[in-house]
Amino acid sequence: MKTPTLAASLLASAVLLAACAGRDVPRPDTGASLGLAEPLPPPSMSDPAVQVAPVDVFFAAIASHCGQAFEGRVRVDTPASPDDAFSGKTLVMHVRECGADEIRIPFHVGEDRSRTWVLTRTAGGLRLKHDHRHEDGSADAVTMYGGDTATAGTASRQAFPVDADSIANFQREGLTASLNNTWAIEIVPGRTFVYELSRPNGRLFQVEFDLSRPVPPPPAPWGREALAD
């Protein structure tokens, strides 16, 4: 997929939102801080004339921030990880590539550009995968793991229980603690984005990003430099 420029990605977001809502969407204000456009609102679910599935509102809400990057913080880490890879690091997510059926969101941890969240439409909902790469762009041994939505979710939160392919990958690599993972994403457009990992044993990890304060986009994630703007 070709990486959109900021203007093109915002236009794509507007088209997507209009398609979901069945009405025109005004052009975003381009005079915001850092020269980035203000996020577009997701289609309203309160309008009786508009029937939009929660998953469509959720997907469109993320797409409305396409081209923008945001800094975050670890909100919850219970129990605390003994080998915390996030401590003292700048955490930045970048809604970098947006299409009608897929959104790619690199998650940078300091200088580590190995992680990308890949959100894809499916026949029954959404799929979340984690694309992990080495600095040379090659795939990590543990990559493209995640799962599909098992319920309709809401316009602001979708959960992704671990799928069979991911379980097989974790077993092969000896990651038994991850066999019962559930990931979730929450979004309040223009306010917050939360990435979550939970397990039945009480493990809970959340990173929260401030969507009200865009930051300059980071470099391309490893393996996607050819798609840099």
Side-chain angles (χ1 to χ4, degrees):
M1 181 187 305
K2 184 177 180 181
T3 304
T5 62
L6 177 59
S9 54
L10 287 169
L11 178 58
S13 298
V15 171
L16 176 58
L17 290 169
C20 289
R23 60 185 181 221
D24 292 337
V25 177
R27 292 178 61 84
D29 177 12
T30 57
S33 175
L34 296 174
L36 299 175
E38 293 291 341
L40 295 172
S44 172
M45 296 184 66
S46 60
D47 185 345
V50 178
Q51 295 185 4
V52 186
V55 69
D56 292 326
V57 180
F58 176 86
F59 192 88
I62 297 176
S64 74
H65 290 283
C66 201
Q68 295 181 317
F70 307 94
E71 191 167 331
R73 64 181 181 88
V74 175
R75 185 169 75 175
V76 180
D77 186 12
T78 305
S81 305
D83 54 346
D84 185 2
F86 303 94
S87 180
K89 305 289 180 61
T90 299
L91 309 179
V92 175
M93 62 169 276
H94 182 196
V95 188
R96 184 171 185 266
E97 299 175 47
C98 304
D101 297 311
E102 181 181 277
I103 300 173
R104 297 182 67 92
I105 308 171
F107 172 41
H108 300 258
V109 180
E111 298 300 315
D112 186 339
R113 296 186 271 135
S114 64
R115 303 169 176 85
T116 298
W117 300 320
V118 183
L119 193 64
T120 308
R121 289 184 181 274
T122 66
L126 294 175
R127 174 174 297 142
L128 174 67
K129 290 290 185 174
H130 299 71
D131 186 352
H132 281 209
R133 300 278 164 175
H134 296 293
E135 193 166 359
D136 65 1
S138 61
D140 191 88
V142 182
T143 189
M144 296 311 291
Y145 59 85
D148 292 8
T149 51
T151 65
T154 70
S156 60
R157 179 181 171 89
Q158 295 287 326
F160 308 86
V162 63
D163 61 23
D165 289 343
S166 302
I167 290 174
N169 187 191
F170 293 149
Q171 289 176 326
R172 185 171 60 250
E173 299 300 323
L175 301 176
T176 56
S178 299
L179 300 181
N180 294 307
N181 282 2
T182 295
W183 298 272
I185 292 176
E186 296 181 2
I187 183 168
V188 179
R191 293 179 58 188
T192 57
F193 177 103
V194 176
Y195 167 85
E196 175 185 294
L197 164 67
S198 64
R199 295 173 183 150
N201 65 0
R203 172 65 172 145
L204 180 63
F205 176 78
Q206 293 180 334
V207 183
E208 180 181 72
F209 299 87
D210 183 356
L211 301 186
S212 70
R213 302 179 63 184
V215 300
W222 294 337
R224 306 291 284 189
E225 290 86 354
L227 296 178
D229 291 336

